[in-house]
Amino acid sequence: GDSHGHGAAGKQPCSCTLKVGVKQAVELKAMDSGGTSDPYVIVYLTSDVKNRYETKVYRKTLNPIFNESFTFQVPQAEVSESTLVMQVYDFNRFAKHDIIGEVRLPLASVNLQHVIEQWSDLAVASKVEPLGEICFSLRYVPSTGKLTVLILEARQLKRMDSHGLSDPFVKVHLILNRKKWKKKKTSVKKNTLSPYFNEVFVFEVPFSQIQNVDVVISVWDHDKVTKNEPIGKLFLGCRATGNQLRHWSDMLSNPRRPLAQWHILQPPDVVDKALGLKSHLKLPLPR
């Protein structure tokens, strides 16, 4: 793509124009039973995932010639942070479109002063867009049943607004025997993907119940107009796995000592499924 900066008018941040040309693909994997595919390409930048372009669909070919170009405006400050993603999909009229593969090109890794023409091997598509990370400390005192959760900070949060940053806040839910039990939330931090909270919450959890409790920590984007959206979640407790289980176990084996750790946020629906909450409402099913 060719990139040329623009002079900034007034106080606007300087932005770059990035022109991305999707030329052609060869030897694509056949996704259809007939030994062929119906490929098209989706192009976007990780700094603004809602702004996506698509090429036309080419029928029954593994060597499509696209020759389409797309123009992105990128604030100067975000160029080095952003990655260009090109995903090749197989179009299906009646089913989900399958991803054939993708190319990820971090803009920091290329010289944008020149037009770059290159072939890139398609990689297996990474399933999840990174949602960000959160750091918090846990402390449990068995004798008093006090569980202290200190929400410290988050970083590299996925942006939920197409026009820039998010207004993040954190919710802490306690689940007891798969039912929602107690909840608290932090204040909202405006216009940032790296919020610093330093807010502490204390819950009473008797030692006899600590094995039956899940602590759910979720990061949300506050939105005055529409519904608040969850950016990502995770849960800790005896049912947790990986890093979350390790943090929880460390807390239990070091009573009275606050232990801080970074955690990677997971997709909200994945966490909800793993928690398998019992719903409060038993609605009659429609006949």
Side-chain angles (χ1 to χ4, degrees):
D2 48 321
S3 153
H4 31 267
H6 284 305
K11 287 234 170 54
Q12 281 185 316
C14 180
S15 93
C16 295
T17 302
L18 178 71
K19 197 167 163 211
V20 178
V22 179
K23 302 258 170 154
Q24 65 182 112
V26 295
E27 295 171 20
L28 292 176
K29 191 170 143 198
M31 304 298 276
D32 299 337
S33 50
T36 182
S37 292
D38 299 318
Y40 67 98
V41 183
I42 292 180
V43 184
Y44 66 93
L45 292 169
T46 54
S47 54
D48 185 5
V49 293
K50 287 193 172 161
N51 186 18
R52 294 170 183 244
Y53 292 107
E54 289 186 15
T55 67
K56 291 205 288 285
V57 175
Y58 286 79
R59 293 280 176 198
K60 296 197 177 355
T61 173
L62 301 179
N63 303 290
I65 294 174
F66 298 104
N67 279 340
E68 292 185 48
S69 64
F70 309 104
T71 303
F72 296 91
Q73 296 295 334
V74 195
Q76 183 77 51
E78 292 177 13
V79 172
S80 62
E81 298 290 306
S82 193
T83 295
L84 171 68
V85 182
M86 289 172 277
Q87 296 178 320
V88 185
Y89 275 86
D90 172 39
F91 174 86
N92 285 314
R93 175 148 291 157
F94 300 113
K96 202 168 132 293
H97 296 187
D98 299 312
I99 188 158
I100 298 174
E102 70 174 17
V103 173
R104 284 181 178 252
L105 186 69
L107 296 186
S109 71
V110 290
N111 179 356
L112 294 171
Q113 302 309 310
H114 303 286
V115 174
I116 298 159
E117 280 215 8
Q118 65 180 41
W119 283 96
S120 301
D121 288 327
L122 287 176
V124 174
S126 58
K127 284 283 179 278
V128 288
E129 273 305 332
L131 301 174
E133 299 176 62
I134 184 169
C135 184
F136 53 87
S137 86
L138 298 174
R139 173 178 187 249
Y140 185 62
V141 183
S143 53
T144 60
K146 274 200 173 28
L147 172 65
T148 305
V149 181
L150 168 60
I151 303 292
L152 288 157
E153 59 182 310
R155 64 186 178 201
Q156 291 169 346
L157 293 177
K158 178 182 162 187
R159 54 186 74 212
M160 303 299 277
D161 299 325
S162 50
H163 54 265
L165 306 171
S166 298
D167 299 327
F169 67 99
V170 179
K171 286 188 197 174
V172 182
H173 278 94
L174 257 57
I175 310 280
L176 180 60
N177 296 322
R178 302 199 180 198
K179 289 212 169 85
K180 289 189 179 173
W181 187 33
K182 303 177 178 189
K183 69 171 175 190
K184 316 234 175 179
K185 61 180 181 191
T186 66
S187 55
V188 174
K189 302 295 168 189
K190 288 279 179 218
N191 211 27
T192 175
L193 300 175
S194 306
Y196 182 72
F197 295 101
N198 204 23
E199 294 183 44
V200 69
F201 304 112
V202 181
F203 299 93
E204 302 275 333
V205 183
F207 186 62
S208 60
Q209 293 287 12
I210 197 75
Q211 303 289 335
N212 306 322
V213 162
D214 303 295
V215 178
V216 183
I217 292 182
S218 51
V219 182
W220 295 70
D221 178 27
H222 176 75
D223 200 313
K224 282 201 262 318
V225 190
T226 58
K227 215 160 115 272
N228 294 336
E229 277 190 281
I231 299 173
K233 291 187 178 187
L234 57 95
F235 81 95
L236 307 106
C238 297
R239 301 197 288 144
T241 53
N243 226 354
Q244 286 74 260
L245 179 60
R246 193 171 314 122
H247 196 179
W248 187 255
S249 307
D250 286 350
M251 172 195 80
L252 292 178
S253 50
N254 293 280
R256 292 180 291 285
R257 229 176 68 211
L259 299 168
Q261 199 178 304
W262 281 96
H263 293 265
I264 292 171
L265 291 168
Q266 294 159 4
D269 53 333
V270 172
V271 175
D272 290 347
K273 207 165 159 185
L275 281 166
L277 297 187
K278 297 177 182 157
S279 61
H280 289 287
L281 297 170
K282 291 272 188 287
L283 294 174
L285 287 169
R287 300 209 180 284

